[in-house]
Short mmCIF file of all heavy atoms in Angstrom, two decimals:
data_model
loop_
_atom_site.label_atom_id
_atom_site.label_comp_id
_atom_site.label_asym_id
_atom_site.label_seq_id
_atom_site.Cartn_x
_atom_site.Cartn_y
_atom_site.Cartn_z
N SER A 1 -0.75 4.36 3.61
CA SER A 1 -0.25 3.03 3.96
C SER A 1 -1.36 1.97 3.88
O SER A 1 -1.08 0.81 3.58
CB SER A 1 0.36 3.04 5.35
OG SER A 1 -0.59 3.45 6.31
N TYR A 2 -2.59 2.35 4.16
CA TYR A 2 -3.70 1.39 4.06
C TYR A 2 -3.94 1.00 2.61
O TYR A 2 -4.21 -0.16 2.31
CB TYR A 2 -4.97 1.98 4.65
CG TYR A 2 -4.98 2.07 6.15
CD1 TYR A 2 -6.06 2.62 6.82
CD2 TYR A 2 -3.92 1.60 6.92
CE1 TYR A 2 -6.08 2.72 8.20
CE2 TYR A 2 -3.94 1.69 8.29
CZ TYR A 2 -5.02 2.24 8.93
OH TYR A 2 -5.05 2.32 10.28
N THR A 3 -3.84 1.96 1.71
CA THR A 3 -3.98 1.65 0.29
C THR A 3 -2.80 0.79 -0.18
O THR A 3 -2.98 -0.13 -0.98
CB THR A 3 -4.05 2.94 -0.54
OG1 THR A 3 -5.14 3.73 -0.06
CG2 THR A 3 -4.25 2.65 -2.01
N ALA A 4 -1.61 1.09 0.32
CA ALA A 4 -0.44 0.30 -0.03
C ALA A 4 -0.56 -1.13 0.48
O ALA A 4 0.08 -2.04 -0.07
CB ALA A 4 0.82 0.95 0.53
N TYR A 5 -1.34 -1.36 1.50
CA TYR A 5 -1.58 -2.71 2.01
C TYR A 5 -2.62 -3.44 1.15
O TYR A 5 -2.44 -4.61 0.80
CB TYR A 5 -2.06 -2.64 3.46
CG TYR A 5 -2.52 -3.95 4.02
CD1 TYR A 5 -1.61 -4.92 4.42
CD2 TYR A 5 -3.87 -4.23 4.16
CE1 TYR A 5 -2.03 -6.13 4.93
CE2 TYR A 5 -4.31 -5.43 4.67
CZ TYR A 5 -3.39 -6.38 5.06
OH TYR A 5 -3.81 -7.57 5.56
N ALA A 6 -3.70 -2.77 0.80
CA ALA A 6 -4.82 -3.42 0.12
C ALA A 6 -4.62 -3.57 -1.38
O ALA A 6 -5.04 -4.57 -1.97
CB ALA A 6 -6.11 -2.67 0.40
N ALA A 7 -4.01 -2.60 -2.03
CA ALA A 7 -3.91 -2.61 -3.49
C ALA A 7 -3.14 -3.81 -4.04
O ALA A 7 -3.64 -4.47 -4.96
CB ALA A 7 -3.30 -1.30 -3.97
N PRO A 8 -1.95 -4.13 -3.54
CA PRO A 8 -1.26 -5.30 -4.11
C PRO A 8 -2.02 -6.61 -3.87
O PRO A 8 -2.01 -7.50 -4.71
CB PRO A 8 0.08 -5.33 -3.38
CG PRO A 8 0.24 -4.01 -2.76
CD PRO A 8 -1.11 -3.45 -2.57
N TYR A 9 -2.66 -6.70 -2.75
CA TYR A 9 -3.42 -7.91 -2.43
C TYR A 9 -4.56 -8.10 -3.43
O TYR A 9 -4.77 -9.18 -3.96
CB TYR A 9 -3.96 -7.79 -1.00
CG TYR A 9 -4.40 -9.08 -0.39
CD1 TYR A 9 -3.49 -9.89 0.26
CD2 TYR A 9 -5.71 -9.49 -0.47
CE1 TYR A 9 -3.89 -11.08 0.83
CE2 TYR A 9 -6.12 -10.69 0.08
CZ TYR A 9 -5.21 -11.48 0.74
OH TYR A 9 -5.59 -12.67 1.29
N LEU A 10 -5.31 -7.01 -3.68
CA LEU A 10 -6.39 -7.09 -4.65
C LEU A 10 -5.87 -7.30 -6.06
O LEU A 10 -6.48 -8.01 -6.86
CB LEU A 10 -7.26 -5.83 -4.57
CG LEU A 10 -8.13 -5.74 -3.33
CD1 LEU A 10 -8.77 -4.37 -3.24
CD2 LEU A 10 -9.19 -6.82 -3.34
N PHE A 11 -4.74 -6.70 -6.39
CA PHE A 11 -4.14 -6.89 -7.71
C PHE A 11 -3.79 -8.36 -7.94
O PHE A 11 -4.03 -8.92 -9.01
CB PHE A 11 -2.91 -6.00 -7.87
CG PHE A 11 -2.24 -6.15 -9.20
CD1 PHE A 11 -2.81 -5.62 -10.34
CD2 PHE A 11 -1.03 -6.84 -9.31
CE1 PHE A 11 -2.21 -5.77 -11.57
CE2 PHE A 11 -0.42 -6.99 -10.53
CZ PHE A 11 -1.01 -6.46 -11.67
N LEU A 12 -3.23 -9.00 -6.91
CA LEU A 12 -2.91 -10.42 -7.04
C LEU A 12 -4.16 -11.28 -7.20
O LEU A 12 -4.16 -12.25 -7.94
CB LEU A 12 -2.11 -10.89 -5.82
CG LEU A 12 -0.66 -10.42 -5.76
CD1 LEU A 12 -0.03 -10.83 -4.43
CD2 LEU A 12 0.13 -10.97 -6.91
N LEU A 13 -5.22 -10.92 -6.51
CA LEU A 13 -6.47 -11.67 -6.66
C LEU A 13 -7.06 -11.49 -8.05
O LEU A 13 -7.68 -12.41 -8.59
CB LEU A 13 -7.47 -11.25 -5.60
CG LEU A 13 -7.19 -11.72 -4.18
CD1 LEU A 13 -8.21 -11.16 -3.22
CD2 LEU A 13 -7.17 -13.23 -4.11
N LEU A 14 -6.90 -10.31 -8.63
CA LEU A 14 -7.41 -10.06 -9.97
C LEU A 14 -6.61 -10.80 -11.04
O LEU A 14 -7.15 -11.14 -12.10
CB LEU A 14 -7.41 -8.57 -10.28
CG LEU A 14 -8.48 -7.73 -9.59
CD1 LEU A 14 -8.18 -6.25 -9.73
CD2 LEU A 14 -9.84 -8.06 -10.16
N CYS A 15 -5.34 -11.06 -10.78
CA CYS A 15 -4.45 -11.63 -11.80
C CYS A 15 -4.17 -13.12 -11.63
O CYS A 15 -3.51 -13.71 -12.47
CB CYS A 15 -3.12 -10.88 -11.78
SG CYS A 15 -3.27 -9.17 -12.25
N ARG A 16 -4.64 -13.74 -10.59
CA ARG A 16 -4.23 -15.11 -10.33
C ARG A 16 -4.98 -16.10 -11.21
O ARG A 16 -6.07 -15.84 -11.71
CB ARG A 16 -4.41 -15.46 -8.86
CG ARG A 16 -5.83 -15.72 -8.46
CD ARG A 16 -5.91 -15.95 -6.96
NE ARG A 16 -7.25 -16.30 -6.60
CZ ARG A 16 -7.61 -17.49 -6.18
NH1 ARG A 16 -6.73 -18.44 -6.04
NH2 ARG A 16 -8.86 -17.75 -5.88
N GLU A 17 -4.36 -17.25 -11.40
CA GLU A 17 -4.97 -18.36 -12.12
C GLU A 17 -5.22 -19.49 -11.14
O GLU A 17 -4.56 -19.59 -10.12
CB GLU A 17 -4.05 -18.83 -13.24
CG GLU A 17 -3.87 -17.81 -14.33
CD GLU A 17 -3.02 -18.35 -15.45
OE1 GLU A 17 -2.92 -19.58 -15.61
OE2 GLU A 17 -2.43 -17.53 -16.17
N SER A 18 -6.14 -20.34 -11.48
CA SER A 18 -6.48 -21.45 -10.60
C SER A 18 -6.60 -22.72 -11.41
O SER A 18 -6.98 -22.70 -12.58
CB SER A 18 -7.79 -21.16 -9.88
OG SER A 18 -8.17 -22.25 -9.09
N SER A 19 -6.31 -23.82 -10.80
CA SER A 19 -6.43 -25.11 -11.48
C SER A 19 -7.85 -25.66 -11.41
O SER A 19 -8.14 -26.71 -11.96
CB SER A 19 -5.47 -26.12 -10.86
OG SER A 19 -5.77 -26.29 -9.50
N TYR A 20 -8.74 -24.95 -10.74
CA TYR A 20 -10.12 -25.41 -10.61
C TYR A 20 -11.02 -24.92 -11.74
O TYR A 20 -12.22 -25.11 -11.70
CB TYR A 20 -10.72 -24.95 -9.28
CG TYR A 20 -10.01 -25.54 -8.09
CD1 TYR A 20 -9.28 -24.75 -7.24
CD2 TYR A 20 -10.08 -26.89 -7.83
CE1 TYR A 20 -8.61 -25.29 -6.15
CE2 TYR A 20 -9.43 -27.46 -6.75
CZ TYR A 20 -8.71 -26.64 -5.92
OH TYR A 20 -8.06 -27.18 -4.85
N GLY A 21 -10.48 -24.24 -12.71
CA GLY A 21 -11.27 -23.79 -13.84
C GLY A 21 -11.76 -22.36 -13.73
O GLY A 21 -12.18 -21.77 -14.69
N THR A 22 -11.71 -21.80 -12.56
CA THR A 22 -12.12 -20.42 -12.37
C THR A 22 -11.11 -19.73 -11.45
O THR A 22 -10.71 -20.29 -10.45
CB THR A 22 -13.54 -20.30 -11.79
OG1 THR A 22 -13.83 -18.93 -11.55
CG2 THR A 22 -13.70 -21.08 -10.51
N PRO A 23 -10.69 -18.52 -11.80
CA PRO A 23 -9.71 -17.84 -10.95
C PRO A 23 -10.30 -17.24 -9.68
O PRO A 23 -9.59 -16.71 -8.86
CB PRO A 23 -9.17 -16.75 -11.87
CG PRO A 23 -10.27 -16.49 -12.83
CD PRO A 23 -10.97 -17.80 -13.03
N LEU A 24 -11.60 -17.32 -9.52
CA LEU A 24 -12.25 -16.66 -8.39
C LEU A 24 -12.54 -17.58 -7.21
O LEU A 24 -13.20 -17.17 -6.27
CB LEU A 24 -13.56 -16.01 -8.87
CG LEU A 24 -13.40 -14.93 -9.92
CD1 LEU A 24 -14.75 -14.46 -10.40
CD2 LEU A 24 -12.59 -13.78 -9.40
N VAL A 25 -12.05 -18.79 -7.25
CA VAL A 25 -12.34 -19.73 -6.16
C VAL A 25 -11.74 -19.21 -4.86
O VAL A 25 -10.55 -18.93 -4.76
CB VAL A 25 -11.76 -21.13 -6.49
CG1 VAL A 25 -11.90 -22.06 -5.32
CG2 VAL A 25 -12.44 -21.70 -7.71
N GLY A 26 -12.56 -19.04 -3.85
CA GLY A 26 -12.11 -18.65 -2.52
C GLY A 26 -11.87 -17.16 -2.31
O GLY A 26 -11.35 -16.77 -1.27
N VAL A 27 -12.23 -16.32 -3.26
CA VAL A 27 -11.96 -14.88 -3.13
C VAL A 27 -12.67 -14.30 -1.91
O VAL A 27 -12.12 -13.45 -1.22
CB VAL A 27 -12.36 -14.12 -4.42
CG1 VAL A 27 -12.38 -12.63 -4.19
CG2 VAL A 27 -11.40 -14.47 -5.53
N ALA A 28 -13.87 -14.76 -1.62
CA ALA A 28 -14.60 -14.24 -0.46
C ALA A 28 -13.83 -14.48 0.84
O ALA A 28 -13.91 -13.67 1.76
CB ALA A 28 -15.99 -14.88 -0.38
N ARG A 29 -13.07 -15.55 0.91
CA ARG A 29 -12.24 -15.82 2.09
C ARG A 29 -11.00 -14.95 2.10
O ARG A 29 -10.55 -14.50 3.15
CB ARG A 29 -11.83 -17.29 2.15
CG ARG A 29 -12.95 -18.22 2.44
CD ARG A 29 -12.45 -19.64 2.48
NE ARG A 29 -11.99 -20.00 1.13
CZ ARG A 29 -11.12 -20.95 0.88
NH1 ARG A 29 -10.58 -21.63 1.86
NH2 ARG A 29 -10.76 -21.23 -0.35
N TYR A 30 -10.41 -14.75 0.93
CA TYR A 30 -9.15 -14.03 0.84
C TYR A 30 -9.30 -12.54 1.14
O TYR A 30 -8.39 -11.91 1.67
CB TYR A 30 -8.52 -14.20 -0.53
CG TYR A 30 -8.14 -15.63 -0.84
CD1 TYR A 30 -8.31 -16.16 -2.10
CD2 TYR A 30 -7.61 -16.47 0.14
CE1 TYR A 30 -7.97 -17.46 -2.39
CE2 TYR A 30 -7.27 -17.77 -0.14
CZ TYR A 30 -7.45 -18.26 -1.40
OH TYR A 30 -7.11 -19.55 -1.69
N VAL A 31 -10.44 -11.94 0.80
CA VAL A 31 -10.61 -10.50 1.03
C VAL A 31 -11.00 -10.19 2.48
O VAL A 31 -11.04 -9.02 2.85
CB VAL A 31 -11.64 -9.88 0.06
CG1 VAL A 31 -11.17 -9.98 -1.36
CG2 VAL A 31 -13.01 -10.50 0.24
N ALA A 32 -11.24 -11.20 3.27
CA ALA A 32 -11.64 -10.97 4.66
C ALA A 32 -10.55 -10.31 5.50
O ALA A 32 -10.84 -9.72 6.54
CB ALA A 32 -12.07 -12.27 5.31
N VAL A 33 -9.31 -10.35 5.06
CA VAL A 33 -8.21 -9.75 5.81
C VAL A 33 -7.94 -8.30 5.40
O VAL A 33 -7.06 -7.67 5.98
CB VAL A 33 -6.91 -10.58 5.65
CG1 VAL A 33 -7.10 -11.97 6.19
CG2 VAL A 33 -6.45 -10.59 4.21
N LEU A 34 -8.66 -7.79 4.45
CA LEU A 34 -8.43 -6.42 3.97
C LEU A 34 -9.17 -5.41 4.85
O LEU A 34 -10.19 -4.85 4.49
CB LEU A 34 -8.86 -6.29 2.51
CG LEU A 34 -8.05 -7.12 1.54
CD1 LEU A 34 -8.60 -6.98 0.14
CD2 LEU A 34 -6.59 -6.74 1.59
N PHE A 35 -8.62 -5.17 6.02
CA PHE A 35 -9.27 -4.31 7.00
C PHE A 35 -9.47 -2.87 6.52
O PHE A 35 -10.43 -2.23 6.94
CB PHE A 35 -8.52 -4.34 8.33
CG PHE A 35 -7.19 -3.65 8.31
CD1 PHE A 35 -7.09 -2.32 8.67
CD2 PHE A 35 -6.05 -4.32 7.92
CE1 PHE A 35 -5.87 -1.67 8.66
CE2 PHE A 35 -4.83 -3.69 7.91
CZ PHE A 35 -4.73 -2.36 8.27
N PRO A 36 -8.61 -2.30 5.65
CA PRO A 36 -8.90 -0.93 5.20
C PRO A 36 -10.24 -0.80 4.46
O PRO A 36 -10.93 0.21 4.60
CB PRO A 36 -7.73 -0.61 4.26
CG PRO A 36 -6.63 -1.48 4.69
CD PRO A 36 -7.29 -2.74 5.16
N CYS A 37 -10.62 -1.84 3.74
CA CYS A 37 -11.91 -1.80 3.05
C CYS A 37 -13.07 -1.81 4.04
O CYS A 37 -14.08 -1.14 3.84
CB CYS A 37 -12.01 -2.97 2.07
SG CYS A 37 -10.77 -2.91 0.77
N PHE A 38 -12.91 -2.55 5.12
CA PHE A 38 -13.96 -2.56 6.15
C PHE A 38 -14.04 -1.21 6.87
O PHE A 38 -15.13 -0.79 7.27
CB PHE A 38 -13.70 -3.69 7.15
CG PHE A 38 -13.96 -5.05 6.59
CD1 PHE A 38 -12.91 -5.88 6.24
CD2 PHE A 38 -15.25 -5.50 6.40
CE1 PHE A 38 -13.13 -7.14 5.72
CE2 PHE A 38 -15.50 -6.76 5.87
CZ PHE A 38 -14.44 -7.58 5.54
N ILE A 39 -12.92 -0.55 7.04
CA ILE A 39 -12.92 0.78 7.65
C ILE A 39 -13.67 1.76 6.75
O ILE A 39 -14.48 2.57 7.23
CB ILE A 39 -11.48 1.26 7.93
CG1 ILE A 39 -10.84 0.41 9.01
CG2 ILE A 39 -11.46 2.73 8.33
CD1 ILE A 39 -9.36 0.68 9.20
N VAL A 40 -13.43 1.70 5.45
CA VAL A 40 -14.13 2.59 4.51
C VAL A 40 -15.62 2.31 4.54
O VAL A 40 -16.44 3.24 4.56
CB VAL A 40 -13.56 2.41 3.09
CG1 VAL A 40 -14.40 3.17 2.07
CG2 VAL A 40 -12.12 2.87 3.03
N ALA A 41 -16.00 1.04 4.55
CA ALA A 41 -17.42 0.70 4.62
C ALA A 41 -18.06 1.22 5.90
O ALA A 41 -19.18 1.75 5.89
CB ALA A 41 -17.60 -0.81 4.52
N ALA A 42 -17.35 1.11 7.02
CA ALA A 42 -17.88 1.61 8.29
C ALA A 42 -18.03 3.12 8.27
O ALA A 42 -19.03 3.66 8.78
CB ALA A 42 -16.98 1.18 9.44
N LEU A 43 -17.06 3.82 7.70
CA LEU A 43 -17.16 5.29 7.61
C LEU A 43 -18.33 5.72 6.74
O LEU A 43 -19.02 6.69 7.05
CB LEU A 43 -15.85 5.87 7.07
CG LEU A 43 -14.64 5.79 8.00
CD1 LEU A 43 -13.39 6.24 7.27
CD2 LEU A 43 -14.87 6.62 9.25
N ARG A 44 -18.54 5.01 5.66
CA ARG A 44 -19.68 5.34 4.78
C ARG A 44 -21.01 5.05 5.45
O ARG A 44 -21.95 5.83 5.35
CB ARG A 44 -19.57 4.56 3.49
CG ARG A 44 -18.38 4.92 2.67
CD ARG A 44 -18.83 5.42 1.35
NE ARG A 44 -17.65 5.69 0.55
CZ ARG A 44 -17.55 6.75 -0.20
NH1 ARG A 44 -18.53 7.61 -0.24
NH2 ARG A 44 -16.48 6.96 -0.90
N LEU A 45 -21.11 3.90 6.11
CA LEU A 45 -22.38 3.52 6.74
C LEU A 45 -22.68 4.36 7.97
O LEU A 45 -23.84 4.51 8.34
CB LEU A 45 -22.38 2.04 7.08
CG LEU A 45 -22.42 1.09 5.87
CD1 LEU A 45 -22.30 -0.35 6.33
CD2 LEU A 45 -23.67 1.28 5.05
N LYS A 46 -21.65 4.90 8.60
CA LYS A 46 -21.86 5.75 9.78
C LYS A 46 -22.60 7.03 9.40
O LYS A 46 -23.41 7.54 10.18
CB LYS A 46 -20.50 6.08 10.39
CG LYS A 46 -20.58 6.91 11.65
CD LYS A 46 -19.19 7.13 12.19
CE LYS A 46 -18.92 8.60 12.14
NZ LYS A 46 -17.64 8.98 12.71
N GLU A 47 -22.37 7.51 8.20
CA GLU A 47 -23.01 8.75 7.74
C GLU A 47 -24.46 8.55 7.34
O GLU A 47 -25.22 9.51 7.30
CB GLU A 47 -22.23 9.30 6.54
CG GLU A 47 -20.80 9.66 6.86
CD GLU A 47 -19.98 9.93 5.62
OE1 GLU A 47 -20.51 9.76 4.49
OE2 GLU A 47 -18.81 10.30 5.77
#
């Protein structure tokens, strides 16, 4: 279920277009809600 939450969100970020000339505007803000990725990072860093 965590992958089912994060995968579509990341897919949309990879495919979106922007009127600012670059599709990556604001991505650092948008990925902040992807808590499953933070859980994976914490599990890796704990080891």
Side-chain angles (χ1 to χ4, degrees):
S1 59
Y2 287 178
T3 303
Y5 172 77
Y9 197 87
L10 288 171
F11 180 73
L12 287 174
L13 287 177
L14 286 168
C15 295
R16 76 184 185 111
E17 293 183 23
S18 176
S19 60
Y20 297 112
T22 176
L24 298 175
V25 173
V27 167
R29 291 180 295 157
Y30 296 141
V31 296
V33 299
L34 295 177
F35 71 92
C37 297
F38 288 104
I39 293 172
V40 172
L43 290 173
R44 295 240 183 222
L45 291 175
K46 183 178 116 176
E47 298 168 356

